[in-house]
Amino acid sequence: MLDRLDNWGTWLRAKRDAEEGDGLAPENDAGRDILRSGFEPCLAAVLRLSAWCDAVRGDKWDPRWFTTGLARSGRLARAAELAYTISDQNRQGDVLVELVQAAAGAGDLRGAQALVESISRRPLRDRALVALLLAGARTGAHDRAAALAEGLRYPHEQLRAWAMLAKVAACNGDTRHALRFAARAEEMSRHVPADELWSVNVLVLLVEVAAATGDQVRAGEFADRVEDFARAWRNRYRRLDPEKERMLAAVLASEARRGDLDRIDALLRRSPRAPLDGAVLAAVLDAVADTAGQDVALALADRAETLLGTDDELFGRDDLLRAVTLLLARHGQVERATALTDSVDSPEVRAQRLAHIVREVARRGDWDRAEAVVHSIAYRWAQAEALVEVVRELARHGDWDRAEALARSIPYRSPRTEAMVVLATAAEPSQARRFAAQAVVLDGWSPVFRLLDRIAPGSAAAVVDQMVS
């Protein structure tokens, strides 16, 4: 839902038209008591019917829940057979990497490695091997992960693997291995051109590793190199593309979380020729919204509002206005966040910003205030989207009766379906089945496919058994 709200600026009208086209949800209790004792759908029939319906609508059916469900339930070989039938090589590669991750996550490291070794295309094999070694590192198998990293063929994958291993170790509090892997990555990076994008991505990881292990000097040195790269790119092309924005923002966010805003302040003083525009600062605010302390969050909001007020032609202005509104709401500054929405001319975009505020107020547990903000949104269909977020937070806090009542009050079919899926995702399996059934009644099986393993454990394997019996 976060991405959907964030991107309302590009598809808001189409979203509204589609939801209004779907019509209102039924007013009766259809689906509420659909599950009776012993009810079990024929999953194979559900799968075939849903795939056929999607084909009729012209949608590209992507049953990833099915293949990964097989991998998690010990049917990795069967899942791999299905993956290899996918004709689109890029899509096939994504599915194979996901299968490696699913098998490793289920503890089947040997099966995951056998799948990696079955992949003939070497670039894809390296991708899958990186997924495997990271899964092993998360379980503490550092020596095995290091041995796998040495077997990578392509230098950029090997360099990225060492840096990611260092980050995993640092996140696990294993300073010894983090420093060992980071030193390996740094040594390799010396032999890579400084303007190679993938090598700069490694520097971003090393900033985080150095900071996590307490070496602020090294973190600063790596950050300087990332800034130099961004500045050179900005001077050459006048603007950073999204990938360069992400890298610079990651470094600035890493420093901001530690309360160090010196680099941000220096870049702001040199704007607009510095590589810190509204889009980059927005990415910083998004990155720290959940992790920064109150003082840092408000200090960043002050800087964002100052930049908005001094540069009417600021690139990424709308992104920054959205990000600072979200940051303020997340840290309890509801009035200040709401005031920022008053500067938005478009009532549709203003509805988006208010929906952000609803979500953050709900996250703080202030349900009455969240619903009050919902009712200040001008469009009824936009209110429905915002109510989904209140339902999500009520469920997260365990207030199931209020969450279900609010979900059933949503007037439009599509957001009510989403609210039921949200409840099914958060509930215990027995209760999840009832919520999922209501979603099925509203909008068919497609919205709940990713929940099948939850509401019917072993469902992917059951489909296979039903098909071959």
Side-chain angles (χ1 to χ4, degrees):
M1 184 65 180
L2 176 60
D3 290 339
R4 294 175 64 192
L5 288 177
D6 286 347
N7 290 313
W8 269 13
T10 58
W11 57 264
L12 189 65
R13 192 175 300 278
K15 174 66 177 172
R16 179 195 65 188
D17 292 345
E19 288 188 353
E20 289 183 338
D22 285 343
L24 298 176
E27 294 295 334
N28 58 28
D29 285 346
R32 189 168 190 174
D33 299 315
I34 190 172
L35 291 182
R36 299 176 180 174
S37 176
F39 171 79
E40 290 289 347
C42 175
L43 295 174
V46 166
L47 184 70
R48 291 184 177 120
L49 286 171
S50 298
W52 178 82
C53 291
D54 285 349
V56 169
R57 291 198 303 263
D59 297 336
K60 181 180 286 188
W61 191 68
D62 187 6
R64 292 190 184 185
W65 69 268
F66 183 53
T67 51
T68 55
L70 284 172
R72 285 193 297 266
S73 61
R75 307 283 187 98
L76 182 58
R78 182 59 176 144
E81 289 176 8
L82 291 172
Y84 278 120
T85 66
I86 299 173
S87 58
D88 185 318
Q89 287 200 337
N90 290 330
R91 192 163 163 236
Q92 181 194 89
D94 291 340
V95 172
L96 287 171
V97 172
E98 288 179 3
L99 288 181
V100 171
Q101 293 171 326
D108 185 8
L109 293 179
R110 180 172 297 179
Q113 184 161 359
L115 177 56
V116 170
E117 292 171 354
S118 75
I119 299 173
S120 58
R121 286 186 291 144
R122 196 55 194 258
L124 176 58
R125 185 176 179 177
D126 269 15
R127 272 185 60 202
L129 195 57
V130 170
L132 175 61
L133 66 89
L134 290 176
R138 292 187 185 100
T139 66
H142 295 297
D143 291 338
R144 185 173 186 273
L148 291 173
E150 293 287 2
L152 292 166
R153 177 176 182 177
Y154 293 97
H156 68 283
E157 290 287 11
Q158 193 174 76
L159 177 55
R160 185 171 69 94
W162 287 116
M164 293 177 73
L165 283 174
K167 184 174 180 180
V168 168
C171 290
N172 289 342
D174 188 340
T175 301
R176 182 172 67 87
H177 280 101
L179 292 175
R180 170 191 164 195
F181 296 147
R184 185 81 164 87
E186 185 179 0
E187 189 275 330
M188 289 188 67
S189 71
R190 295 194 187 103
H191 306 290
V192 177
D195 59 350
E196 287 283 357
L197 181 61
W198 50 273
S199 69
V200 181
N201 268 310
V202 167
L203 291 176
V204 173
L205 290 170
L206 293 180
V207 169
E208 298 173 357
V209 172
T213 55
D215 191 345
Q216 307 304 338
V217 173
R218 297 296 290 146
E221 291 173 354
F222 292 133
D224 290 343
R225 291 165 62 183
V226 176
E227 182 187 339
D228 289 344
F229 170 81
R231 190 181 301 282
W233 188 276
R234 173 72 166 78
N235 289 339
R236 184 183 307 170
Y237 299 104
R238 301 188 62 187
R239 185 167 293 150
L240 301 181
D241 63 31
E243 180 66 12
K244 315 301 186 304
E245 289 173 0
R246 183 200 63 77
M247 293 189 302
L248 180 59
V251 168
L252 297 174
S254 178
E255 293 180 339
R257 291 188 193 96
R258 305 194 304 271
D260 181 0
L261 303 182
D262 290 347
R263 191 182 303 272
I264 290 177
D265 288 339
L267 289 172
L268 285 171
R269 285 194 296 271
R270 291 195 291 268
S271 288
R273 284 178 292 182
L276 185 59
D277 55 27
V280 174
L281 189 54
V284 175
L285 267 56
D286 287 338
V288 305
D290 282 326
T291 53
Q294 183 87 346
D295 292 345
V296 169
L298 297 183
L300 286 170
D302 290 341
R303 286 157 173 79
E305 290 193 76
T306 299
L307 185 58
L308 288 167
T310 57
D311 188 351
D312 291 335
E313 302 299 321
L314 180 68
F315 177 74
R317 182 181 183 83
D318 288 345
D319 286 338
L320 184 55
L321 186 57
R322 173 202 54 77
V324 70
T325 301
L326 174 63
L327 184 71
L328 288 169
R330 187 159 294 178
H331 287 269
Q333 305 293 304
V334 179
E335 290 79 8
R336 189 173 166 186
T338 305
L340 284 175
T341 68
D342 294 335
S343 65
V344 177
D345 293 331
S346 166
E348 292 178 334
V349 176
R350 186 171 187 272
Q352 169 220 356
R353 303 289 159 76
L354 287 172
H356 274 301
I357 294 171
V358 168
R359 180 178 58 213
E360 300 312 320
V361 174
R363 283 178 56 151
R364 299 174 69 85
D366 193 346
W367 318 119
D368 294 334
R369 193 174 194 182
E371 290 191 49
V373 178
V374 167
H375 294 304
S376 73
I377 298 175
Y379 296 105
R380 193 179 182 204
W381 58 270
Q383 289 180 6
E385 292 282 355
L387 283 173
V388 174
E389 293 308 303
V390 183
V391 170
R392 189 187 311 277
E393 294 306 317
L394 283 166
R396 192 166 67 88
H397 285 79
D399 193 343
W400 296 104
D401 290 340
R402 187 169 182 177
E404 183 174 3
L406 193 61
R408 298 183 64 78
S409 76
I410 295 175
Y412 288 101
R413 184 181 299 272
S414 177
R416 187 189 291 187
T417 301
E418 184 183 358
M420 290 301 173
V421 171
V422 164
L423 292 175
T425 302
E428 293 296 322
S430 58
Q431 195 175 17
R433 289 167 58 84
R434 183 168 61 84
F435 293 133
Q438 294 179 68
V440 169
V441 169
L442 287 166
D443 200 22
W445 278 90
S446 294
V448 301
F449 268 140
R450 68 178 186 268
L451 300 175
L452 277 184
D453 266 344
R454 181 172 178 77
I455 62 177
S459 56
V463 170
V464 173
D465 293 340
Q466 289 174 9
M467 284 182 170
V468 300
S469 61

